[in-house]
Amino acid sequence: MERSRRARQKPATIHDVARLARVSKSTVSNVIRDVPGVNPETRERVQEAIRTLEYRPNVVARQLVQQRTTLLGIVIGDLSNPFYAEMAKFVESFAAAHGYQLMFCNTQVDENTELDGIRSLIEHRVAGLLFLAYAGDAESARQAVGEQLPIVFLTCDAGWGDVVAVDDFAAARAGTQHLIDLGHRRIAYFADTVHEARAERARQGGYALALQEAGLTPSILRWHDRPQLVEAGGSICTIQTALTAPERPTAIFAANDLHAVDILDAADQASLRVPEDLSVVGFDDIAISRIARINLTTIAQPKEALARLAVDLIVGRIGGKVQGAHQRHSLPFTLLQRRTTGPSPAP
Amino acid sequence: MERSRRARQKPATIHDVARLARVSKSTVSNVIRDVPGVNPETRERVQEAIRTLEYRPNVVARQLVQQRTTLLGIVIGDLSNPFYAEMAKFVESFAAAHGYQLMFCNTQVDENTELDGIRSLIEHRVAGLLFLAYAGDAESARQAVGEQLPIVFLTCDAGWGDVVAVDDFAAARAGTQHLIDLGHRRIAYFADTVHEARAERARQGGYALALQEAGLTPSILRWHDRPQLVEAGGSICTIQTALTAPERPTAIFAANDLHAVDILDAADQASLRVPEDLSVVGFDDIAISRIARINLTTIAQPKEALARLAVDLIVGRIGGKVQGAHQRHSLPFTLLQRRTTGPSPAP
DNA sequence: TTGAAAGCGCTAACAA
DNA sequence: TTGTTAGCGCTTTCAA
């Protein structure tokens, strides 16, 4: 048996099983799908045939006739950012619990790759699309997606589709306020140039508002050529220069933990003490931020709850249980005060 | 138009396009597939119809008739380990370059989940299966997979299917030898209990051989209840105790960087200086290991090259360009000496 | 309780 | 250069 299977190359079909069990295809189908009302003896005969043929239902065929898949497309900004990897992991496990598989497309490289990926997802007729941040511009993605399937933006937002996220604006404001409360006057924002176009803007906006309310001047930092050069106020310099210049910031609010760790690293290399000389706040609370050597003050997002809600929502939309206008779910964030923030150094 | 599309719910089919363009389905199909020999005017008319209907080819139907998919199943041990996330990212990008999409299944939770995941991948008729380490036992996975599709084990090994990895045995031996050369006599191995059954054993074997050749006694450490309790030599104690007891190791070779970072963290909490009191070597060279605060001595795996080779190999097998017995590709590792290893403290 | 038949959307001969 | 036709493997009425 084993030998003939290998020789035959092609996997057994429902038809092969039917023939071997001497029943019709429909009966086999009924057995597979656990439809009640199949004679126990027949059922046993069919199952026997399934076993000997090592039959596995062809989901592709089933999908075609049922006109739906149990596939969720997930568009990930950058898997090498542990925040996204952790989110993806949660999403995968909740999706699996609902009987959905994940097809994924990483979008790091460039916008065209991303659009190709999205198109491919659509052509595979994914039942829904989950965005975990994305690189391209909203409009082209929207066009590629079209109108016909549920979209959930998870920890990001493009103005169309459901949104499940924390209130980035409020969170950034709270993080910045924490620095202001510690007496800092020169607080820079370390922007993420690549990802989360909209969430990024919200965070930057929250930062700006907090500063404005305190009568302080915003100052934006971003990588120009990692890990050496940054752009600060329109000019390019090394990150060490930016951190040690006379008008240097005494505190930095980073768009995410990875950027915060970059700052920590640069501070170490510039012999700046954290938090005595420089305070740093991150965003995301990735695993590494918790270890003693990092101990990063950061805004924690409730990753598991976010992922669960996003999956419930998209599955609900797919099943028609959730209908109507786009929903916006805002989950609570937490400011985790650890050891990278302290009082502003004396001027 | 826009309105009617939404109202119609179901996506346009090739048949709709054919009708609108007043041609046959085949002609539409020929246009879609860029088959030469279609009258330019006809082509234009078809494309016009495709645009107005927002037609997207149904890959599911295509897959059914062509009897193959462009799907690669990827089984990931633990996405929250940056090593796997980084590998997955590379794999995704090479796969995309070959026109393949990734369906993934994380296997963290338990073995049954993993088997379900693999089964689901098979039933979706993935063209090949890539294992990035896995939790379950080899035999049940092998059964679930059957015999009919190419398998590549990437940075892991289960004894069946192609293997693309570094020589874990030699690498661990080299890492351990580095510690021996530094004068350490009590060198423990910090094992990973969960993943990479076989790669893990190889690493442990390399460690053991190096010790044996130096006439030293092996000692295995593993998490019993992270992040507090470890198992050391059959007994359970806190990790601090294990690191500070009289017979404490002066050096630890960790199964991977994440475990090494755990040791660093525990050492910090136990006020042990690294490397003065304790040397630590990791495995993988994940991004975080490079920052100044970690600066981990570690065995680097050539991630991108591994991923590229694995994808080339599996795509080759799928296309029939690669045939014959299982291949084992061993790529070179690199011992990166950074700042977590130093001379053994005086006894 | 089982079987026959239609058809999901597409490709790939082959015929016209 | 285009159209006709026969499936791919399955589900799902409907009849027997």
Side-chain angles (χ1 to χ4, degrees):
Chain A
M1 200 69 244
E2 183 64 29
R3 204 166 300 118
S4 77
R5 297 278 310 111
R6 274 189 235 186
R8 215 158 46 65
Q9 289 278 46
K10 293 179 48 168
T13 74
I14 203 172
H15 183 249
D16 301 326
V17 175
R19 205 175 29 192
L20 182 60
R22 282 161 300 127
V23 295
S24 71
K25 291 191 311 177
S26 327
T27 302
V28 177
S29 178
N30 288 335
V31 171
I32 295 165
R33 289 174 300 131
D34 264 327
V35 173
V38 176
N39 185 311
E41 285 169 26
T42 315
R43 176 183 301 274
E44 183 45 49
R45 221 167 60 244
V46 170
Q47 272 160 348
E48 175 65 27
I50 287 177
R51 257 175 267 124
T52 51
L53 292 175
E54 287 181 19
Y55 168 75
R56 310 212 144 275
N58 184 333
V59 173
V60 176
R62 176 180 296 164
Q63 285 172 338
L64 182 61
V65 58
Q66 292 189 150
Q67 296 283 74
R68 63 189 152 79
T69 67
T70 55
L71 257 30
L72 251 34
I74 181 166
V75 177
I76 305 180
D78 178 9
L79 256 187
S80 63
N81 181 337
F83 175 72
Y84 294 122
E86 290 172 26
M87 288 300 299
K89 186 176 123 179
F90 283 125
V91 168
E92 196 275 344
S93 90
F94 292 126
H98 283 282
Y100 284 84
Q101 286 72 45
L102 251 43
M103 267 190 69
F104 85 77
C105 119
N106 200 7
T107 64
Q108 181 120 52
V109 200
D110 66 55
E111 194 172 327
N112 284 335
T113 319
E114 170 175 40
L115 286 179
D116 285 348
I118 294 177
R119 267 188 215 107
S120 165
L121 259 19
I122 305 280
E123 294 182 357
H124 278 86
R125 295 297 189 263
V126 295
L129 208 44
L130 228 35
F131 281 89
L132 258 181
Y134 69 155
D137 89 284
E139 207 37 45
S140 53
R142 179 178 200 157
Q143 280 201 352
V145 170
E147 311 276 346
Q148 27 221 345
L149 81 169
I151 317 283
V152 172
F153 291 92
L154 180 50
T155 72
C156 63
D157 181 4
W160 44 292
D162 298 312
V163 176
V164 176
V166 301
D167 182 338
D168 287 292
F169 187 93
R173 190 175 168 190
T176 310
Q177 190 60 48
H178 166 60
L179 293 168
I180 295 171
D181 294 343
L182 286 166
H184 293 276
R185 309 288 296 168
R186 289 195 308 275
I187 305 171
Y189 179 85
F190 193 26
D192 184 341
T193 36
V194 190
H195 309 294
E196 309 169 68
R198 207 152 159 145
E200 169 66 27
R201 275 205 302 280
R203 291 178 193 179
Q204 204 165 317
Y207 155 83
L209 181 63
L211 284 201
Q212 187 193 318
E213 287 178 340
L216 302 174
T217 313
S219 144
I220 308 296
L221 221 59
R222 54 169 55 88
W223 281 123
H224 180 259
D225 185 13
R226 188 167 182 271
Q228 293 299 329
L229 301 178
V230 292
E231 181 195 322
S235 62
I236 312 294
C237 61
T238 69
I239 180 157
Q240 277 80 7
T241 307
L243 295 182
T244 55
E247 287 298 297
R248 74 180 190 85
T250 64
I252 294 185
F253 184 79
N256 60 51
D257 278 9
L258 237 36
H259 276 62
V261 168
D262 282 341
I263 294 290
L264 254 31
D265 197 34
D268 291 342
Q269 283 165 26
S271 300
L272 282 171
R273 294 163 305 162
V274 174
E276 292 81 355
D277 302 321
L278 179 70
S279 285
V280 180
V281 177
F283 206 115
D284 289 345
D285 190 33
I286 58 181
I288 200 71
S289 303
R290 280 163 230 153
I291 68 172
R293 289 185 179 205
I294 306 288
N295 221 338
L296 181 70
T297 294
T298 191
I299 312 276
Q301 305 199 50
K303 302 188 198 65
E304 185 166 358
L306 285 163
R308 169 179 281 123
L309 185 52
V311 172
D312 286 350
L313 183 54
I314 203 161
V315 168
R317 290 250 185 230
I318 292 166
K321 277 175 200 140
V322 177
Q323 300 198 323
H326 298 327
Q327 302 183 0
R328 301 185 72 86
H329 294 272
S330 189
L331 268 56
F333 59 87
T334 319
L335 173 63
L336 260 28
Q337 297 189 26
R338 292 197 280 231
R339 299 282 161 209
T340 56
T341 48
S344 173
Chain B
M1 199 68 244
E2 183 61 31
R3 204 167 299 117
S4 75
R5 297 276 314 106
R6 276 190 233 183
R8 215 159 45 64
Q9 290 275 47
K10 294 179 50 169
T13 74
I14 203 173
H15 183 248
D16 300 325
V17 175
R19 207 174 27 190
L20 182 59
R22 282 160 301 127
V23 294
S24 72
K25 289 192 312 177
S26 333
T27 301
V28 177
S29 179
N30 288 336
V31 171
I32 294 165
R33 290 175 298 133
D34 264 326
V35 173
V38 177
N39 185 311
E41 284 169 29
T42 316
R43 177 182 301 274
E44 183 45 50
R45 221 166 60 242
V46 170
Q47 273 160 349
E48 175 66 28
I50 288 176
R51 259 175 265 124
T52 52
L53 292 175
E54 286 181 18
Y55 168 76
R56 309 214 145 273
N58 184 334
V59 173
V60 177
R62 175 181 298 163
Q63 285 172 336
L64 181 61
V65 57
Q66 293 191 150
Q67 296 284 74
R68 64 191 153 79
T69 67
T70 55
L71 258 29
L72 252 32
I74 181 166
V75 178
I76 305 179
D78 178 10
L79 256 189
S80 63
N81 181 337
F83 175 72
Y84 294 121
E86 289 173 27
M87 288 300 298
K89 186 177 124 177
F90 283 124
V91 168
E92 195 275 342
S93 90
F94 293 126
H98 283 281
Y100 285 83
Q101 285 73 45
L102 252 43
M103 268 190 68
F104 84 78
C105 118
N106 200 6
T107 63
Q108 179 122 51
V109 199
D110 66 57
E111 196 172 327
N112 284 334
T113 318
E114 170 175 41
L115 286 179
D116 286 347
I118 294 177
R119 265 186 218 111
S120 164
L121 258 19
I122 305 279
E123 295 182 356
H124 277 87
R125 295 296 190 263
V126 294
L129 209 44
L130 228 36
F131 281 89
L132 257 180
Y134 69 154
D137 89 285
E139 207 37 47
S140 53
R142 180 178 201 157
Q143 280 201 351
V145 170
E147 310 277 345
Q148 30 219 343
L149 81 171
I151 317 282
V152 171
F153 291 93
L154 180 51
T155 73
C156 63
D157 181 3
W160 45 289
D162 298 313
V163 176
V164 176
V166 301
D167 182 339
D168 288 292
F169 188 93
R173 190 175 170 191
T176 311
Q177 190 60 47
H178 168 59
L179 294 168
I180 295 170
D181 293 343
L182 285 166
H184 293 276
R185 308 289 298 167
R186 290 195 308 275
I187 304 171
Y189 180 84
F190 192 28
D192 184 341
T193 38
V194 190
H195 309 297
E196 308 169 68
R198 204 150 161 149
E200 169 66 28
R201 275 205 303 280
R203 291 178 192 179
Q204 204 166 317
Y207 155 82
L209 181 64
L211 283 202
Q212 186 192 318
E213 288 177 339
L216 303 175
T217 314
S219 144
I220 308 296
L221 219 60
R222 55 170 53 88
W223 282 124
H224 179 258
D225 185 13
R226 187 166 183 271
Q228 294 299 330
L229 300 179
V230 291
E231 180 194 324
S235 63
I236 312 294
C237 62
T238 68
I239 181 157
Q240 276 79 10
T241 307
L243 294 183
T244 54
E247 286 300 295
R248 74 181 192 83
T250 64
I252 295 186
F253 184 78
N256 59 51
D257 278 9
L258 238 35
H259 276 62
V261 167
D262 282 341
I263 294 289
L264 255 29
D265 197 33
D268 291 341
Q269 282 164 28
S271 298
L272 283 170
R273 292 164 306 162
V274 175
E276 292 81 357
D277 302 320
L278 180 70
S279 284
V280 181
V281 177
F283 206 115
D284 289 345
D285 190 33
I286 58 180
I288 199 73
S289 303
R290 279 163 232 155
I291 68 170
R293 290 187 177 204
I294 306 288
N295 222 338
L296 181 71
T297 294
T298 190
I299 311 276
Q301 305 200 49
K303 302 188 197 68
E304 185 166 358
L306 286 163
R308 170 179 281 122
L309 184 51
V311 171
D312 286 350
L313 182 54
I314 202 161
V315 168
R317 289 247 185 233
I318 293 167
K321 278 176 200 139
V322 177
Q323 301 198 323
H326 298 326
Q327 303 184 0
R328 302 185 72 86
H329 293 273
S330 190
L331 267 56
F333 58 87
T334 319
L335 173 63
L336 259 27
Q337 297 189 26
R338 291 198 280 231
R339 299 281 163 209
T340 56
T341 47
S344 173

